[in-house]
Amino acid sequence: MPSLDGKKILVGISGGIAAYKIPSLIRLLIKEGAEVQVIQTPYSKNFITPLTLSTVSQKPVYSDFFEQNTGDWHSHIGLARNCDLMVIAPTTANTLSKMAYGQADNLLLAVYLATPAPVIVVPAMDVDMYNHPATQNNIKILSDRQNHIVLEAEEGELASGLTGKGRMPEPETILQEIILFFQKKNSLNGKTFIVTAGPTYEKIDPVRFIGNFSSGKMGFAIAEELAFRGAEVHLVSGHVSIPYPIQSNITVHKIMSTVEMLDVVRKHFPESDGAIFAAAVADFRPVSTIGSKIKRENKASLEIKLEKNPDIAAEMGKIKKDKQITVGFALEMNNELLNASKKLISKNLNFIVLNSLKDKGAGFGTDTNKITIIDKNNKKTVFELKHKRKVAEDIVNYLVDLLK
Ligand code: CTP
């Protein structure tokens, strides 16, 4: 079976010289079984004609919201919702910037804004435009966006006569990236994972609790990445203020305390392929919860006796079967590698994700994280500081490799 059999791909073309290569890309996509719908910006018609594009794609090509002669409406919403992937190639500096800031002054941009489908962005421009901080900033904005892949421009001779970074990758390379994308998307079909996320709260009295500053961002990003690759996900989350994921294959279980989190994890763990413990679990809870609000009057101080909570990761580590994979996190301040390795062993994890509070941009609350993965053989893999969504991709890639 061709590798893109039945896949609906929207190819968006903006106005750069590399547009002349897009008919080859369309041919390759169709050869692999894809159905291609082309949208081009009005300016790109200077580089490649609608006639050429409609001939190779075997479909009408759209570039305006409606036909001048007949008034026929090209619904951007219809186009946006009826595709499995949108590929914008070439993406000029101008289109890149408008995509980054949500402008929609042509059909291609309106479709981009309206599509729930993943997007592959293929920037191509002259070297100085590519290296300009504004362009690099826009590339970063789009790379950090969920379900976006930005391909790196290649080095070489440019249309201006200059040499440097800015060339669009060849159609064969873009095709490989598209095939890889769909392979990745389905790599966890039929698997089920549990993800714990956010903080747990332990009640002191009806209005007070012991908690921590965990935002839930890392755990949610992992749940979304697993779901993107086709897995069924049980996301067991403490109280957070970020939006819950909306993918239909993520079931959100909202809990408050560590014991409640353990109950949900215990229920789903035996039938799962594994668990990622990204929650910041409260290690201790008040021995007893006071039934009415504690009053300030007549008290110079207050002592609350705490007892130890169960260790969810360790409990699952005890009952896990050979094929199940468990992944833990360690947020450390001192002796980071040693402490993380100890946790890896004591909780019987397959690997542990270490983030150090000493690293700027890592840990609680931030949008970014910097991690080191340590596995059972004490192999350490260090990653750069990245957006938590990209960190989630690295963690899930590691997990997928273990499943092979
Ligand atoms: N964890 C858990 N249940 C707990 C405590 C921790 O499931 N009661 C999980 C966390 O989700 C994380 C890993 O165990 O994946 C390590 O958490 P961490 O708080 O760093 O470790 P602790 O064992 O609590 O050790 P300490 O707080 O003393 O460093």
Side-chain angles (χ1 to χ4, degrees):
M1 196 163 76
S3 46
L4 298 175
D5 196 39
K7 295 281 181 276
K8 291 182 176 167
I9 302 181
L10 264 185
V11 173
I13 304 172
S14 63
I17 180 69
Y20 83 92
K21 292 186 180 174
I22 300 306
S24 306
L25 174 65
I26 296 169
R27 278 229 163 87
L28 291 170
L29 290 170
I30 290 177
K31 218 169 139 196
E32 287 298 333
E35 202 182 296
V36 177
Q37 173 63 61
V38 179
I39 304 173
Q40 61 178 154
T41 62
Y43 190 67
S44 74
K45 291 181 192 171
N46 294 313
F47 296 97
I48 185 81
T49 67
L51 180 61
T52 309
L53 294 165
S54 64
T55 307
V56 287
S57 67
Q58 299 146 24
K59 276 180 175 216
V61 169
Y62 302 123
S63 82
D64 293 311
F65 287 97
F66 59 90
E67 288 301 321
Q68 294 289 349
N69 299 336
T70 59
D72 276 355
W73 168 248
H74 303 145
S75 162
H76 54 287
I77 304 296
L79 288 162
R81 298 198 77 86
N82 189 27
C83 70
D84 299 305
L85 174 71
M86 184 170 188
V87 181
I88 305 180
T91 315
T92 58
N94 184 41
T95 293
L96 198 69
S97 152
K98 288 179 176 175
M99 286 164 68
Y101 290 96
Q103 291 187 49
D105 60 5
N106 62 43
L107 182 69
L108 190 157
L109 289 164
V111 171
Y112 164 71
L113 271 192
T115 191
V119 183
I120 296 185
V121 184
V122 193
M125 63 202 74
D126 212 74
V127 55
D128 296 318
M129 294 175 85
Y130 188 76
N131 288 336
H132 195 284
T135 305
Q136 286 302 313
N137 193 37
N138 291 334
I139 288 178
K140 188 170 177 326
I141 290 173
L142 291 178
S143 309
D144 288 346
R145 209 164 270 173
Q146 194 174 10
N147 283 343
H148 282 57
I149 298 170
V150 181
L151 302 191
E152 210 175 333
E154 292 185 350
E155 294 257 352
E157 226 174 85
L158 300 162
S160 61
L162 295 173
T163 303
K165 212 169 183 177
R167 278 174 70 91
M168 189 178 81
E170 291 304 319
E172 288 76 10
T173 311
I174 302 175
L175 175 77
Q176 281 318 309
E177 292 289 344
I178 293 171
I179 293 174
L180 207 73
F181 165 81
F182 281 108
Q183 281 169 354
K184 206 164 141 185
K185 189 166 157 51
N186 298 322
S187 56
L188 291 175
N189 275 356
K191 304 274 181 206
T192 302
F193 286 97
I194 298 165
V195 179
T196 69
T200 57
Y201 285 178
E202 304 298 341
K203 250 173 138 179
I204 298 171
D205 70 13
V207 294
R208 300 183 180 93
F209 60 85
I210 297 172
N212 60 68
F213 296 119
S214 169
S215 64
K217 285 177 186 168
M218 194 64 252
F220 279 31
I222 292 171
E224 284 170 345
E225 185 61 27
L226 290 165
F228 165 69
R229 300 192 196 203
E232 285 293 325
V233 181
H234 289 283
L235 174 60
V236 192
S237 173
H239 183 86
V240 292
S241 50
I242 56 171
Y244 289 100
I246 51 166
Q247 283 111 312
S248 57
N249 49 342
I250 300 183
T251 308
V252 179
H253 305 265
K254 295 179 193 170
I255 55 85
M256 177 90 84
S257 68
T258 305
V259 169
E260 285 168 15
M261 183 173 268
L262 175 64
D263 284 346
V264 181
V265 172
R266 205 182 254 148
K267 183 169 167 211
H268 295 284
F269 187 74
E271 302 307 318
S272 75
D273 294 279
I276 294 94
F277 301 106
V281 180
D283 288 326
F284 296 92
R285 62 170 183 252
V287 170
S288 56
T289 301
I290 294 149
S292 60
K293 187 177 170 237
I294 301 170
K295 299 298 282 178
R296 204 161 75 101
E297 279 165 0
N298 307 325
K299 285 191 192 75
S301 65
L302 177 70
E303 275 183 25
I304 300 169
K305 193 157 186 236
L306 304 176
E307 64 186 356
K308 215 168 181 177
N309 257 327
D311 185 328
I312 303 167
E315 290 293 319
M316 296 309 112
K318 282 183 208 154
I319 59 166
K320 92 174 184 199
K321 295 181 221 102
D322 278 354
K323 276 192 170 169
Q324 285 180 304
I325 292 184
T326 54
V327 179
F329 273 75
L331 180 62
E332 305 290 339
M333 293 190 82
N334 301 302
N335 296 325
E336 292 99 330
L337 289 170
L338 183 69
N339 284 333
S341 301
K342 278 186 187 163
K343 284 177 190 172
L344 171 83
I345 295 163
S346 67
K347 296 174 198 252
N348 189 22
L349 302 164
N350 292 76
F351 64 91
I352 191 155
V353 181
L354 164 68
N355 27 198
S356 167
L357 280 173
K358 283 184 191 157
D359 285 325
K360 222 174 141 225
F364 280 3
T366 55
D367 282 333
T368 52
N369 207 356
K370 183 170 179 350
I371 62 160
T372 302
I373 291 183
I374 308 170
D375 75 5
K376 277 182 149 177
N377 303 319
N378 211 20
K379 188 179 126 207
K380 298 173 184 74
T381 313
V382 183
F383 296 84
E384 295 162 13
L385 181 78
K386 301 179 182 184
H387 196 281
K388 282 185 174 166
R389 260 197 281 280
K390 300 291 157 181
V391 175
E393 264 183 59
D394 290 335
I395 294 168
V396 175
N397 283 341
Y398 209 94
L399 184 132
V400 170
D401 280 346
L402 279 187
L403 286 169
K404 277 179 191 158

